Amino acid sequence: MPRHGGTPSGLEKVHVFDIPELLLPICAHLSSHDLLQCILLSRQFNALCIPILYSSIAIMKPLQFRRFLSPDSQAALARYSIHIQSFRTQYYSLLRCFIPDTVNCRNLTHLEFPTACQFTDPVVPPGFYASPSAPSSSPLSLGNESLKDCKDVAGNASTPFDMARPLNALGLFDETLLITMMEKCPRLSVFAMAGFPFDYDQLIRWIGDRLMIPGTGLKRLELTNMHYCRVRAKSIEYLLSRCTPGMEELLLSISFGSKAEVETEEHGADGVDPSATSCSNTGFEDGDRQWNLKRLAIRGDISGPGPLIWLPLLCRCSKLQDLAVDLFTDESLVELASTLGQHCPQINEMTLQCMAGSPQEDSRIADLIRSSLSWKRLSMSFLHGFGPLSTAALIKHSTTLEVVVLTECDGFTSEDVQTVLSSCPNLRTFRAMTSNGMDFSSTVYLDANEMVDSPWVCHNLENLKLVITGIARPDLQVDQYGWPLSGPLHDGTILGFELQQIVYQQLGKLTKIQELWLGHDKQDLDDEQNYHTTDVEGQWQYIDPDEQFECLEFSLKSGLGLLSGLKDLRVLNLDRMKTRIGLSEVQWMASQWPKLEEIIGLVVQGEKVPKHVQWLYDHRPDIALPPVLGNFTTAF
């Protein structure tokens, strides 16, 4: 071996740029701008970076839309379309660019409309493509990637693309454009469309038929529409019945204003029996096949007044891990609990909204919680009827629970809240809040006295949303209605800050907390009981029943300094809390919480800006102070 860095005899010195296997991983991490520079360096870099540059294209803005339709961009698309693996856009008509035979889509695996799909095109200014500043003179940025429409890459510029109509002859959505596009993509594994036209039954059925074609390989299907639309339950049932074992994620979602229509005939044209909705009579179960569906989301009333048309799908999903559903009857709660317990042994995450309107039995809620062997994430909304059985069932999962979200779930008591927080060591998110009623600020709350002899064990908590009350506040004498505040918490019977300091000490141990919501998040402006007459005829005063008068002061004197360890805190919500925050408190927060981004509740619309808020405006403009509504006067 040579002594001074020479090359050994018989060996040739090789530069890293000469080894594609080493260079390719490096280029894969370059930005779009850097890739554009690399393709101009040499033929080698051009050949290496072009597939990376074109692998993912996103058209999400009007300017990107116009540039994508430029002659040079269309020529580049025809030349390099074979490298495209992902195409994301919100403009439906752009699918027409992929229809010509000159565009090769055989490697496209992801086709997504992540935001509400636009069926009308942005206006292209006259002379846009003829302007000297038109896109042909510069690289074209497309979301996270770039499409270079320069002549040295795209070749000679072609004539403008023939802008075919995305609508049919009747001026309605032309489903043939989407069908043709999907037929050109034999390797398509992900299709997601926000704003999907559920009222086009033939399109839904065509997608269902495509799922049955061997070798199609569609693994994730997401069809959503947050606007009112007509939906036929039979078409959805047709689609669900044709899901194949290879499907891993399925999301169907319609708005709450929409409701699936159920046909009255005994058998539809598709031959699906409307009564075949239980696991025993569908023929869906097949012991020889292992279904791969791991995530299923059914949002909105896609079953209509009939039985749950998606329940048979659960019966064949032994690998299901994540479920998100909306229920509209009490009976469906029982059916879901039974099906999960029998057929989905790996389920560990669930998001459930119960829109039945009537209270549920404690035993039924408990049965649903018992349906999993080990819940990891459990989010439930509008379940009215929590009781000791439900709480006991929940605590059995204390060692595995990481996320617990209870939104508008009546019956979950202060003792239940404390039991969860003192029993779940792996908990990272806990949200439990119900906003209604004049008798108390919230029907779900934690009495601070519960915290005295029962310390929390969830020290890894990152997100906490909870009303903590029962704290003596003799400094407050009148409530939001003008009524005197009485009782030992307000009449001076209890003095000192001992209980507040216990709460501060407990919160101070949550050193990983990022969002701390002790105030409320929204007001119930639709409840007529919150509007009260005034002395002026025709005027009404909105008074929020959720204001807190037995809460932490958040003053340094009361023990705020005990929260100095919350170095990761980003969001603090104190909305509708009667705090005693002043200049010294906000200065302390600004210095002790370096990651603080937002404080909610300090600014109330229509009220004079206090000095401590003005200090934040002047010295910490990086901390957002969104105004809250507060009480107000209106006319009907």
Side-chain angles (χ1 to χ4, degrees), residues 494-558:
I494 302 177
L495 299 175
F497 302 106
E498 290 81 9
L499 188 56
Q500 289 200 56
Q501 291 175 358
I502 290 176
V503 177
Y504 284 129
Q505 288 173 354
Q506 186 62 77
L507 295 176
K509 296 178 181 179
L510 307 179
T511 55
K512 296 183 179 180
I513 196 78
Q514 298 179 23
E515 297 188 14
L516 182 59
W517 292 64
L518 301 179
H520 289 275
D521 55 349
K522 59 183 178 180
Q523 293 173 305
D524 188 1
L525 301 178
D526 297 327
D527 191 346
E528 296 181 357
Q529 295 184 359
N530 295 337
Y531 293 87
H532 304 265
T533 58
T534 64
D535 296 335
V536 180
E537 184 177 357
Q539 286 190 353
W540 298 75
Q541 184 179 15
Y542 175 85
I543 301 179
D544 197 315
D546 292 321
E547 291 194 33
Q548 299 184 43
F549 296 86
E550 301 172 2
C551 58
L552 292 172
E553 287 187 8
F554 265 84
S555 65
L556 290 172
K557 185 178 179 181
S558 65

Side-chain angles (χ1 to χ4, degrees), residues 49-70:
C49 295
I50 282 292
I52 301 174
L53 188 64
Y54 281 82
S55 63
S56 178
I57 297 177
I59 311 293
M60 304 302 296
K61 299 178 180 180
L63 181 59
Q64 295 173 342
F65 172 87
R66 297 163 189 156
R67 288 179 170 177
F68 189 75
L69 292 180
S70 69

Side-chain angles (χ1 to χ4, degrees), residues 193-199 204 221-231 236 239-240 250-260 295-303 310 324-326 328 353:
M193 188 174 190
F196 181 81
F198 280 95
D199 49 342
I204 297 176
L221 177 63
E222 296 186 10
L223 308 176
T224 65
N225 195 326
M226 293 299 101
H227 300 285
Y228 179 82
C229 58
R230 172 184 167 271
V231 186
I236 301 297
L239 174 64
L240 294 175
L250 175 61
L251 170 61
L252 302 178
S253 178
I254 62 176
S255 68
F256 280 107
S258 306
K259 189 173 184 179
R295 177 174 177 259
L296 174 64
I298 305 292
R299 312 310 301 264
D301 194 1
I302 68 171
S303 296
W310 47 267
V325 293
D326 297 329
F328 293 84
Q353 288 193 111

Side-chain angles (χ1 to χ4, degrees), residues 32-143:
S32 301
H33 179 270
D34 292 336
L35 286 171
L36 286 170
Q37 302 301 316
C38 288
I39 64 176
L40 301 177
L41 291 176
S42 65
R43 293 180 180 272
Q44 178 190 6
F45 271 92
N46 188 293
L48 193 66
C49 295
I50 282 292
I52 301 174
L53 188 64
Y54 281 82
S55 63
S56 178
I57 297 177
I59 311 293
M60 304 302 296
K61 299 178 180 180
L63 181 59
Q64 295 173 342
F65 172 87
R66 297 163 189 156
R67 288 179 170 177
F68 189 75
L69 292 180
S70 69
D72 286 346
S73 292
Q74 291 302 304
L77 177 65
R79 184 173 181 179
Y80 300 113
S81 57
I82 193 173
H83 302 302
I84 301 177
Q85 301 177 23
S86 172
F87 182 67
R88 300 172 70 250
T89 184
Q90 64 172 339
Y91 303 110
Y92 179 75
S93 63
L94 287 186
L95 296 183
R96 65 181 180 261
C97 300
F98 294 84
I99 303 304
D101 294 336
T102 56
V103 180
N104 191 330
C105 302
R106 71 168 183 259
N107 290 321
L108 187 69
T109 59
H110 290 63
L111 177 59
E112 300 180 72
F113 297 85
T115 59
C117 188
Q118 302 292 323
F119 297 105
T120 57
D121 296 344
V123 177
V124 178
F128 177 80
Y129 299 114
S131 171
S133 60
S136 58
S137 62
S138 61
L140 172 60
S141 297
L142 303 176

Side-chain angles (χ1 to χ4, degrees), residues 203-231:
L203 177 59
I204 297 176
R205 292 166 184 262
W206 181 88
I207 294 176
D209 292 336
R210 190 182 190 282
L211 295 176
M212 299 291 291
I213 299 176
T216 54
L218 199 62
K219 295 183 178 181
R220 178 162 65 91
L221 177 63
E222 296 186 10
L223 308 176
T224 65
N225 195 326
M226 293 299 101
H227 300 285
Y228 179 82
C229 58
R230 172 184 167 271
V231 186

Side-chain angles (χ1 to χ4, degrees), residues 431-484:
R431 303 177 190 170
M433 189 174 290
T434 303
S435 303
N436 55 47
M438 293 177 56
D439 295 334
F440 203 81
S441 61
S442 178
T443 56
V444 176
Y445 62 92
L446 174 61
D447 191 322
N449 290 280
E450 301 277 0
M451 305 169 64
V452 175
D453 298 320
S454 182
W456 295 353
V457 298
C458 49
H459 295 158
N460 293 324
L461 207 61
E462 299 175 356
N463 189 308
L464 176 64
K465 185 176 182 180
L466 178 66
V467 169
I468 300 177
T469 187
I471 296 173
R473 291 294 302 276
D475 55 300
L476 301 176
Q477 303 298 323
V478 181
D479 67 7
Q480 67 268 46
Y481 303 101
W483 300 339

